[in-house]
Amino acid sequence: MPDDDAFTESDFDPPPHLMSPEDPAEYDAWVRASVEAAIASPGPGIPHDVVIARMQAILDRYKSQT
């Protein structure tokens, strides 16, 4: 079984030049390109239960820091 804690918060961060909301159009373009690339990827998908477990691990880690 894959590591349930394989995602990190940085996996979801846009490139540094898009971290600011000053240019929503550029950020939107980055998100759309990321989604298009994921859809076009020939690799195997990640099962829903694995994604949920990984995300829960991130949330739990965040909650324990606050």
Side-chain angles (χ1 to χ4, degrees):
M1 180 172 156
D3 179 11
D4 287 340
D5 198 17
F7 290 135
T8 64
E9 290 84 355
S10 63
D11 290 332
F12 304 100
D13 290 340
H17 71 284
L18 296 179
M19 294 295 283
S20 170
E22 293 174 11
D23 190 353
E26 192 174 354
Y27 180 80
D28 183 70
W30 171 80
V31 169
R32 290 175 185 275
S34 296
V35 170
E36 295 278 335
I39 291 171
S41 173
I46 302 172
H48 180 262
D49 59 329
V50 173
V51 172
I52 295 301
R54 291 177 181 178
M55 292 305 299
Q56 189 62 56
I58 290 171
L59 293 170
D60 293 344
R61 193 167 57 238
Y62 176 77
K63 287 179 187 176
S64 70
Q65 295 173 0
T66 58

